[in-house]
Amino acid sequence: MADVPVTTVPGTLQVIHNELRAREALFQKLLPAGMSPSRFALIAYSHIRKSPDLIKCDPMNIVAEVSKAAELGLDFSIPNEVSLVPFKDYKSQTVRCSAIPGYKGYAKLARQSEGLKSLNYNVVREGDEFSVELGSNTRVEHKPKFPGSPNVTY
């Protein structure tokens, strides 16, 4: 993370920056092979800097949630894989964040699990025919209506 000059990072951001750098050895243990801990930390830091609401969170909460993403092998640089989402904790009257997988993150986690036979995901829009049958003969049927078809809203 040497590319980001610490002197330009004010207050809370500097604490987050320093804590992420200090945890690179931990990220090395948590991340899957091939994912650089310094790159992961830098990308997470960039993700945090883009959201003013995240800066309102306790820095250690942010670092803990980044560590959870590392443990799951989720990458902040891939759109819709994982995001840090701030929310107001009304009980403590503070702002906290959670690392929340996106649809690509859930798909990645599903592929990592044992016993997965197949995984398919598509957008279901208003006007599409969609049915699910559960039980011993589980089935999902999706018949999309394409643009130009009558009664389609996109």
Side-chain angles (χ1 to χ4, degrees):
M1 290 183 48
D3 296 351
V4 180
V6 177
T7 56
T8 65
V9 182
T12 301
L13 280 173
Q14 184 170 354
V15 172
I16 294 166
H17 180 269
N18 294 343
E19 290 295 331
L20 289 174
R21 286 193 59 157
R23 284 173 174 68
E24 285 183 14
L26 173 64
F27 295 154
Q28 178 71 49
K29 293 176 184 174
L30 295 175
L31 291 167
M35 192 181 284
S36 159
S38 58
R39 180 180 180 278
F40 175 82
L42 178 60
I43 290 169
Y45 178 73
S46 296
H47 180 77
I48 294 160
R49 285 187 64 167
K50 291 176 187 174
S51 176
D53 288 336
L54 282 173
I55 308 309
K56 297 174 187 173
C57 299
D58 173 52
M60 299 316 291
N61 167 234
I62 293 172
V63 171
E65 293 300 312
V66 169
S67 298
K68 285 181 189 176
E71 187 174 2
L72 293 171
L74 299 177
D75 190 342
F76 289 100
S77 71
I78 299 173
N80 298 308
E81 188 160 299
V82 65
S83 294
L84 290 174
V85 179
F87 64 92
K88 174 102 181 210
D89 182 344
Y90 288 98
K91 189 173 184 177
S92 66
Q93 292 300 305
T94 60
V95 179
R96 300 189 52 78
C97 74
S98 289
I100 300 182
Y103 78 94
K104 288 183 182 176
Y106 282 117
K108 184 183 217 176
L109 294 171
R111 285 187 193 101
Q112 292 171 359
S113 68
E114 294 181 24
L116 181 70
K117 292 181 181 180
S118 70
L119 177 66
N120 250 320
Y121 48 92
N122 291 290
V123 176
V124 177
R125 294 187 169 91
E126 187 177 345
D128 289 359
E129 291 181 36
F130 187 79
S131 64
V132 177
E133 185 178 314
L134 301 175
S136 59
N137 188 24
T138 301
R139 198 169 75 90
V140 177
E141 187 172 328
H142 176 211
K143 295 180 183 177
K145 299 272 187 200
F146 294 101
S149 299
N151 302 324
V152 176
T153 305
Y154 285 91

